[in-house]
Amino acid sequence: MRRILVTGANKGIGHAIAERILEEPDDTFVFLGSRDLGRGEAAAEKIRAGGPGRAERLQVVELDVSSDASVQAAAKVIADASGDDGLYGIVNNAGIGIGIADLDPVLQVNVRGIHRVCTALIPRLSAGGRVVNVTSAAGPMFVAKCGPDQQRSFTRNDITWAEIDALMNDSVALAGDAAAFASRGLSDGSPYGLSKACANALTIHLARENPQLVVNACTPGFIATDLTQSYLGGRTAADAGMKTPREGAASALFLLFGQPEGSGHYYGSDAVRSPLDRYRSPGDPPHTGE
């Protein structure tokens, strides 16, 4: 049984990823991570009702990725449920940030949350297991506006967690001061863009530290979710050029079950390898550099 944890799976893209995993051959099993247990159970009921044979392949796990205690408790639930079989994959989907001005909570979820979950659960992944970090094109677009030294820092193959952690701590101290961020080559310090750039850098670090696994990041694309409602301005999602959460699950599903090019890379919403320091439009040629 290929057991997979999906964080932030009670709605939006995470819910769609969980649902689509269970549409794979019946050797898949989903731990549906949800910060609120009741909302997680409600989401699970919708998935169970979507097709036969799903009920026994789905378990809700209460999981707040911003809390060390919650992550540790969830890891124990998953360990007890999976036993010696361990995990096949982790999809770090939980995220916040669009429209949030306070940097620290955004980093706590979008970056430190990935680190907490991976620290707790990577030891349970079998060799060849997959880690998929759902980030955003906002990451490469943020890096593109940074100074040369910071651009190199975000994309270095030898970046360490200590360096990412220090950058986040320094950034929190500067939060709200766009001029201070600019003077350090960090664009305007956009909480969402900075967090996703850090999450992509963390992906590089995790891949290097876990060569027995396949660790990659991806953007789901411009998706109609609670996070993107502010962009509609009275338009429909289709008129705004947004895709559905189900469509947004495509790149994560490819990284879980397909054949990505190695580990430590970032993929576009079309499941094609993309650069970390600039935006690549879906349909453009794949990125082939480091």
Side-chain angles (χ1 to χ4, degrees):
M1 187 67 73
R2 291 183 289 179
R3 291 176 169 82
I4 300 161
L5 168 67
V6 184
T7 70
N10 61 287
K11 62 180 180 178
I13 297 164
H15 185 271
I17 291 171
E19 185 171 46
R20 289 193 59 180
I21 288 171
L22 294 177
E23 294 171 4
E24 292 291 315
D26 60 9
D27 68 339
T28 54
F29 182 101
V30 170
F31 290 106
L32 189 154
S34 175
R35 185 175 58 179
D36 181 279
L37 192 58
R39 291 177 182 175
E41 291 290 357
E45 282 305 309
K46 292 179 182 179
I47 294 175
R48 292 181 183 118
R54 295 184 181 184
E56 63 272 20
R57 295 193 290 128
L58 181 63
Q59 179 177 338
V60 178
V61 178
E62 186 173 12
L63 175 57
D64 178 356
V65 302
S66 69
S67 163
D68 290 333
S70 179
V71 171
Q72 290 301 320
K76 185 178 187 308
V77 170
I78 291 169
D80 290 344
S82 56
D84 293 337
D85 292 339
L87 287 173
Y88 167 81
I90 300 168
V91 181
N92 287 299
N93 165 77
I96 62 171
I98 294 178
I100 296 178
D102 192 352
L103 178 59
D104 188 53
V106 175
L107 295 174
Q108 285 293 341
V109 173
N110 293 359
V111 190
R112 298 189 192 281
I114 294 174
H115 188 258
R116 287 186 188 94
V117 170
C118 287
T119 298
L121 288 170
I122 274 181
R124 295 203 59 78
L125 285 172
S126 305
R130 307 291 176 97
V131 176
V132 180
N133 296 328
V134 180
T135 61
S136 170
M141 288 191 289
F142 179 89
V143 175
K145 295 185 289 185
C146 289
D149 290 343
Q150 293 293 357
Q151 287 182 349
R152 283 190 290 272
S153 179
F154 279 119
T155 58
R156 276 177 28 226
N157 286 332
D158 61 349
I159 187 95
T160 67
W161 171 246
E163 290 172 314
I164 299 168
D165 184 53
L167 172 62
M168 291 191 294
N169 288 335
D170 290 345
S171 296
V172 168
L174 301 176
D177 189 343
F181 276 107
S183 70
R184 288 164 173 77
L186 286 169
S187 183
D188 59 358
S190 160
Y192 190 70
L194 174 59
S195 74
K196 294 304 186 178
C198 288
N200 285 337
L202 175 55
T203 301
I204 298 172
H205 167 73
L206 290 169
R208 188 183 68 252
E209 293 297 302
N210 297 279
Q212 79 282 12
L213 304 176
V214 181
V215 184
N216 287 295
C218 65
T219 175
F222 193 31
I223 309 300
T225 67
D226 288 351
L227 281 179
T228 57
Q229 288 300 304
S230 61
Y231 289 97
L232 291 178
R235 299 173 294 172
T236 67
D239 287 342
M242 293 181 182
K243 296 181 179 181
T244 66
R246 184 174 178 82
E247 291 173 312
S251 51
L253 267 289
F254 169 74
L255 294 180
L256 270 177
F257 302 119
Q259 297 298 320
E261 181 190 332
S263 192
H265 302 310
Y266 165 76
Y267 283 74
S269 61
D270 55 356
V272 172
R273 191 176 163 204
S274 301
L276 289 166
D277 58 357
R278 61 193 181 279
Y279 179 70
R280 175 194 153 273
S281 296
D284 283 355
H287 177 63
T288 57
E290 290 298 326

